[in-house]
DNA sequence: TATTATACTTAACACTGTTATTTTTGTCAA
DNA sequence: TTGACAAAAATAACAGTGTTAAGTATAATA
């Protein structure tokens, strides 16, 4: 057999493999999108693999060819939420140059995300931590960066002496706790409306101005 | 038959009924304590009625003679936690007469409870709200009072003009969000230690002094 | 066309909460 | 003490769950 034959055969083989892999990837995406839909609709508690399988028209065991188990599927489902989250915070960071206003901007974006994607937020920061931390090693670093943005903004505000404080880690974590508290309380308790949450955020800003700002 | 006979028969009947009811109540308590133990040990996710049944040596269906369903049993299990919680806040309230210090004291007690009883706290304020709110009508008012204590302390601080602010509801809810944020973040994320949480609480106090206090 | 790897399904296991039905137990009056 | 009756408890069953091992089609390769 000639050299060109050999390469053609090789090309066909490669293309074939590629086609099959894309088909597999397509099914994976189908599972993922069905899972996301069902998860957002029915929530964490009622989310089931068998229901996802029924939705896409495959047997439940087929899902295991694409995901290790239910936990991983659910995690991959929220990964999109994580990316959205990071992007929203980044945009909020870039929205202004004034260091203090930046922190406020990030906080607002944080709460906005939580209230717009409560099901995702719940899974990300309110559910059992194991859930996230067990899978973190296997995925890109699009998660930890979220906190890093806030931390950076606060560091810069400290350096610019716009706010006062000493600890590099304690203050970011505390401010994180502030917005997380507002967000998660609003998600958990029905009597706290979105407006109420945003009002709290506004009052929080006033307090932080007196409590943190130098000027 | 004489009158005394009649009353004796009645007395026996009453006593008998009483005895049976106490026996029933005792089993109920047995279920409750086994449930609490298993719940605290294995957490919400792994808690199962059948395991409780096995623990007490009865068939699973027997539990339904004492509790409407799993949800109610779990709720009754946390009721004790709620009572502890309310009492801790009340004690914290009474610990000092200085209005601002009172708020700080309550906040500290709040976080302390959350860190000491994380499983209870999770069920109380981090789990699906429906869980609590569906059962609230059927039980005594030992729950709502928890927030009332904080609200009262803040109202008094406002009246005494020790702190400034206007809204009667917004500020208490925000301060609740502060402590809840610190507590729930510490519970959810393994990298936040108890000491870290208490340090945050301390820094929070410093900020609140500048941000809220008048003097 | 036969072989072999891949995709997929079936069947099964060990669980779950919950309900209807049946059995056991204990109490009461005759 | 026996028979009727009510309460307590157990069995069996239903409809689900996640997950694994084993089997069957399907499609690619030699």
């Amino acid at each position: 057999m000639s050299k060109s034959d050999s390469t053609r055969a090789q090309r066909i083989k490669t293309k074939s493999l590629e086609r099959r892999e894309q088909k597999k990837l397509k099914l994976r995406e189908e599972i993922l999108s069905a899972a996301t839909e069902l998860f957002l609709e029915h929530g964490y508690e009622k989310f089931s693999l068998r229901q996802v399988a029924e939705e896409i028209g495959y047997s439940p065991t087929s899902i295991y060819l694409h995901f290790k188990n239910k936990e991983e599927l659910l995690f991959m489902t929220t990964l999109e939420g994580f990316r959205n989250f990071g992007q929203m915070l980044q945009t909020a960071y870039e929205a202004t140059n004034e260091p203090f206003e930046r922190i406020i901007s990030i906080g607002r974006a944080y709460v906005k995300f939580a209230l717009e994607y409560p099901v995702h937020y719940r899974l990300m920061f309110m559910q059992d931590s194991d859930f996230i931390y067990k899978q973190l090693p296997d995925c890109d670093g699009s998660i930890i960066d979220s906190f890093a943005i806030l931390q950076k903004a606060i560091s810069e505000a400290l350096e610019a002496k716009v706010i006062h404080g000493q600890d590099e880690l304690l203050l970011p974590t505390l401010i994180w706790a502030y917005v997380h508290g507002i967000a998660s309380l609003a998600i958990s308790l029905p009597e706290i409306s979105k407006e109420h949450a945003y009002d709290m955020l506004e009052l929080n800003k006033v307090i932080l101005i007196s409590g943190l700002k130098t000027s």
Side-chain angles (χ1 to χ4, degrees), chain A:
Chain A
M1 49 176 97
S2 74
K3 195 183 172 191
S4 69
D5 269 353
S6 165
T7 47
R8 163 172 290 167
Q10 229 167 17
R11 280 203 301 270
I12 290 176
K13 195 177 171 183
T14 310
K15 260 288 177 85
S16 168
L17 211 104
E18 204 178 286
R19 203 186 59 228
R20 260 182 300 157
E21 269 177 6
Q22 276 205 355
K23 199 180 167 188
K24 188 167 182 175
L25 220 93
K26 201 185 151 202
L27 179 52
R28 195 193 130 100
E29 286 304 315
E30 215 175 317
I31 295 172
L32 215 51
S33 89
T36 307
E37 197 181 323
L38 287 172
F39 170 59
L40 289 178
E41 194 180 343
H42 298 116
Y44 177 81
E45 307 273 321
K46 305 231 161 188
F47 175 79
S48 95
L49 281 187
R50 292 180 123 102
Q51 208 171 338
V52 174
E54 196 183 337
E55 186 70 27
I56 58 169
Y58 281 81
S59 77
T61 45
S62 289
I63 296 175
Y64 287 87
L65 299 170
H66 302 268
F67 301 93
K68 216 183 77 195
N69 51 25
K70 186 190 180 184
E71 225 180 14
E72 189 181 282
L73 173 56
L74 216 44
F75 177 74
M76 291 305 171
T77 287
T78 52
L79 245 183
E80 198 198 335
F82 269 114
R83 280 193 252 272
N84 269 341
F85 185 56
Q87 193 138 28
M88 278 175 81
L89 295 195
Q90 186 62 38
T91 308
Y93 177 93
E94 290 160 1
T96 175
N97 281 320
E98 208 287 301
F100 182 79
E101 221 33 72
R102 246 184 193 160
I103 299 171
I104 298 300
S105 172
I106 293 172
R108 228 192 300 271
Y110 188 101
V111 173
K112 195 184 172 196
F113 173 84
L115 296 183
E116 269 182 29
Y117 306 94
V119 188
H120 276 140
Y121 187 82
R122 177 162 249 138
L123 201 53
M124 287 159 71
F125 297 116
M126 295 164 76
Q127 216 77 31
D128 198 4
S129 56
D130 287 3
F131 179 76
I132 297 297
Y133 284 81
K134 266 198 286 186
Q135 324 241 9
L136 264 183
D138 307 335
C139 84
D140 53 74
S142 62
I143 293 176
I144 315 122
D145 294 352
S146 306
F147 179 62
I149 294 171
L150 178 63
Q151 196 165 14
K152 192 181 167 203
I154 292 175
S155 286
E156 286 167 357
L158 281 169
E159 272 174 39
K161 294 192 188 301
V162 174
I163 62 174
H164 49 248
Q166 58 274 39
D167 202 299
E168 283 284 311
L169 188 64
L170 198 57
L171 188 55
T173 322
L174 180 61
I175 291 188
W176 185 17
Y178 284 170
V179 287
H180 169 71
I182 294 171
S184 62
L185 219 54
I187 288 175
S188 280
L189 306 176
E191 71 258 37
I192 296 182
S193 66
K194 280 193 185 187
E195 291 93 40
H196 196 163
Y198 283 117
D199 287 346
M200 283 162 75
L201 208 53
E202 209 54 44
L203 179 56
N204 179 235
K205 180 185 176 182
V206 175
I207 290 173
L208 287 190
I209 287 175
S210 320
L212 280 181
K213 248 189 150 190
T214 48
S215 58

